[in-house]
Amino acid sequence: MSGVWAALLGLGDVLAQHVILAACAIGLGIAVALPLAVWASRSQAVARAALGFASLVQTIPALALLALFFPILLSLRAVFGEGLPTLGFLPALLALALYALLPILRNAVTAQTNLDPGVIEAADGVGMSFWQRLRLVEAPLAAPYIMAGIRTAAVWTIGAATLSTTIGQPSLGDPIFAGLQTQNWSLVLAGCIASAGLAIVADALLGTIEAGFRRRDRRLWLGGAIAVAVGVAAAFASQADWSRDNGRDTIVIGTKQFSEQLILGRLVGEQLEDAGYNVEYREGLGSAVVAQAVANGSIDLYFDYTGTIWANQMKRTDNPGRDAMYDAIVEWERDVQGTRVLGKLGFENAYALAMREDRARELGIRSIEDLVRAAPRMVAGGDPEWFERPEWFAVRDAYGLNFANERNFSPTFMYNALKSGDADVISAYTSDGRIAADNLVILDDPREALPSYDTLIILSPERADDERLIAALEPLLGAINVDAMREANLSVDRTDGEKKTPREAARALSQAIGLE
């Protein structure tokens, strides 16, 4: 439990950002729902349309709704300009506000449509105007029911906000996703406890306001409202950029959702901090999202692999060889994306099909060609992207692979599935230390269906000619060999007492390659 306690004590920053995001989303949801509820209570057509739309939003998984706002905001840049944020706070705010809409709107509409007609007639009889009746009669009577909807929306929103990590918004999802990826269960538990605790506290405070409205006790609801306001204000105050008022330039580093990327992000981040930069991280992004984010300037740099760019972004299916592929990628990134390939880090992390050594020996499988005859009786496992990637289609079509079942796992659990027998073959990463540690064998690819995957640093268009930044990054180019990277990856992915965090692994890697 000491590990969980230590992790909890380190969550102050992401807790504050989680509070700010959830509070703003709930506030926006209230601002939209209440006027709409007043309109809907006086028009059946508006009520059906508004409640139907809000219900439809609820059927969309929160993760998908968050992700959909990235391309939506990207397309809106044509209207609002290139400064419109496409990652981070804005898309998370909009998605979560939509998610909060239904319970507030439904309770508000129900409360207003079920008001005692006699009370309304009495208000009209004494000559009240529409606004007087709304403010002095309808609002006080409906307030307890509306607050019940806000309580529900708050709990939903606080829980769903943990998913905003996937679009680059810091939240209590950061320790949860990082812990799942690195099998650091103390981090996962800390994130879950903090999120659940925040939801319970918010529900209790909003419940106090609801009780105050119901009992007509001004001190009770005002006390609850003040407590909520103080909590939100404290979160905003903690995020004031006092520490950033130092004249330093800020670099935003984007990473994908596996251990190697987290380690590289921290390695480069510490290198840049030593060079006098402030550094922010956008971790856990998908391959397509992070590539678009650097091209549109939402992040300043990220790490990618030649094979991923070649197949996923350039849509190329041929394999011209390592050097020709790299040269073509450099040219394409410059001319099409406007980005700059700074160079290679020195190691390759290729996709490859892997099996347990004992299982491969038992079935006489040494290559993907050998795998074909056994595939109809086997389960294939891949990371969440693998079975939708062009590389998988290329391998499948080149060899005629037809597995009995295809299952998606997070990168960490994919290796666990192979060890436990839940998968017979997986899409492994060749720089992963678990290949040797778990006694796995990489299957040969005699038809060269998979391209090379040299690791690159890519800079955004705004940073492409930043000589100070380039000078700080150049010592990393060609400096990391695959053995050093495997050791760093394994130190994060292992589950024994020698397990390291990505930051600790990055520092060890920095020493191993001579940066410290």
Side-chain angles (χ1 to χ4, degrees), residues 173-190:
D174 288 14
I176 295 173
F177 280 93
L180 286 172
Q181 174 53 45
T182 61
Q183 299 190 74
N184 186 333
W185 308 121
S186 294
L187 272 181
V188 175
L189 278 172

Side-chain angles (χ1 to χ4, degrees), residues 208-209 211-226:
T208 302
I209 300 173
F213 284 146
R214 195 176 300 278
R215 300 174 190 171
R216 305 290 193 270
D217 186 336
R218 182 174 182 178
R219 287 181 299 176
L220 190 60
W221 69 256
L222 190 58
I226 290 172

Side-chain angles (χ1 to χ4, degrees), residues 120-190:
I120 303 300
E121 289 176 9
D124 291 336
V126 297
M128 284 188 179
S129 67
F130 168 78
W131 291 110
Q132 286 176 321
R133 191 183 74 191
L134 180 65
R135 181 171 61 87
L136 298 175
V137 178
E138 295 181 20
L141 292 174
Y145 303 97
I146 295 172
M147 280 307 306
I150 292 173
R151 288 176 67 183
T152 301
V155 173
W156 286 5
T157 302
I158 289 169
T162 58
L163 298 172
S164 64
T165 293
T166 60
I167 56 170
Q169 170 59 30
S171 72
L172 289 171
D174 288 14
I176 295 173
F177 280 93
L180 286 172
Q181 174 53 45
T182 61
Q183 299 190 74
N184 186 333
W185 308 121
S186 294
L187 272 181
V188 175
L189 278 172

